[in-house]
């Protein structure tokens, strides 16, 4: 099985990092630094996420009988994520697999993994001849890829200039924005 993680790192000028341009004077104060980064102040903050708000309320609650009803991971009595024994066993098997590698997956993901995921989602006996699947980095990544794909290629219903995408209520706070930005 192949795993791929990607990161985007953006560096902003600070007192410890000097500009490479010879004509630029070094940053000498917090105010000068803030002025160089002022474009960040115009970026609007996203709305709070209602589902993650449940997790924050749980953390803030002092009741000894509190119960975390938020999505996520199973928790132990100390509130730490509890890893299922089956997951631990799978991780051990992956680590012991001498044939495993860390090569980049193809653009659509690991074909064997995608095929198994489709069989899991639709059932082993489902005819997958008319089903396509790709591997994404996360649920959010999947929403973005799917939304963009549908906005570009799905037929628009008569009288609409966009393809409607339906999400459940409640949904993650970022889903509406992701699909809106996808087109």
């Amino acid at each position: 099985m192949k795993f791929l993680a990607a990161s985007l790192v953006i560096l902003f000028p600070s007192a410890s990092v000097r500009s490479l341009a010879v004509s630029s004077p070094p940053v000498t104060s917090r105010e000068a630094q803030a002025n160089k980064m002022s474009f960040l102040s115009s970026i609007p903050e996203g709305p709070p996420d209602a589902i993650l708000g449940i997790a924050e309320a749980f953390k803030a609650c002092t009741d000894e009988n509190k119960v975390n009803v938020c999505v996520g991971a199973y928790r132990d009595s100390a509130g730490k994520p509890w890893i299922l024994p089956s997951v631990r066993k799978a991780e051990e098997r992956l680590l012991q697999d001498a044939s495993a590698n860390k090569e980049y997956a193809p653009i659509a993901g690991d074909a064997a993994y995608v095929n198994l995921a489709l069989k899991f989602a639709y059932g082993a006996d489902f005819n997958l001849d008319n089903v396509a699947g790709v591997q994404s980095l996360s649920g959010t990544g999947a929403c973005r890829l799917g939304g963009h794909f549908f906005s570009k290629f799905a037929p628009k219903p008569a009288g609409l200039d966009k393809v409607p995408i339906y999400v459940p209520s409640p949904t993650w706070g970022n889903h509406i924005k992701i699909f809106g930005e996808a087109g």
Side-chain angles (χ1 to χ4, degrees):
M1 185 166 288
K2 298 172 186 159
F3 295 92
L4 173 65
S7 297
L8 173 63
V9 178
I10 301 174
L11 298 176
F12 296 105
S14 71
S16 62
V17 179
R18 309 246 183 219
S19 172
L20 294 178
V22 176
S23 61
S24 298
V27 176
T28 56
S29 71
R30 285 180 98 62
E31 185 177 330
Q33 179 181 349
N35 287 340
K36 286 189 175 228
M37 294 177 22
S38 65
F39 77 94
L40 295 175
S41 64
S42 66
I43 299 172
E45 184 175 334
D49 187 291
I51 296 173
L52 293 179
I54 296 170
E56 294 304 315
F58 174 82
K59 289 177 191 174
C61 181
T62 57
D63 188 323
E64 63 184 47
N65 295 314
K66 67 184 180 179
V67 176
N68 188 349
V69 296
C70 189
V71 296
Y74 291 106
R75 307 265 173 200
D76 63 17
S77 59
K80 301 293 182 196
W82 179 69
I83 309 300
L84 293 169
S86 58
V87 172
R88 288 268 188 230
K89 185 99 171 156
E91 288 175 331
E92 289 171 12
R93 287 175 59 189
L94 287 171
L95 289 173
Q96 294 171 3
D97 183 357
S99 69
N101 68 62
K102 303 293 183 187
E103 289 292 332
Y104 282 100
I107 194 78
D110 181 294
Y113 173 81
V114 171
N115 189 48
L116 288 171
L118 289 171
K119 286 181 180 181
F120 178 77
Y122 290 98
D125 297 329
F126 189 84
N127 180 356
L128 297 175
D129 289 344
N130 295 317
V131 176
V134 297
Q135 184 177 0
S136 71
L137 188 55
S138 64
T140 299
C143 288
R144 177 64 181 166
L145 287 172
H148 185 79
F149 179 84
F150 283 122
S151 76
K152 295 294 181 192
F153 301 110
K156 295 169 183 59
L160 296 178
D161 62 343
K162 293 186 175 187
V163 176
I165 296 177
Y166 300 95
V167 296
S169 178
T171 190
W172 289 98
N174 62 347
H175 285 179
I176 306 297
K177 189 76 168 166
I178 288 168
F179 289 123
E181 293 290 326

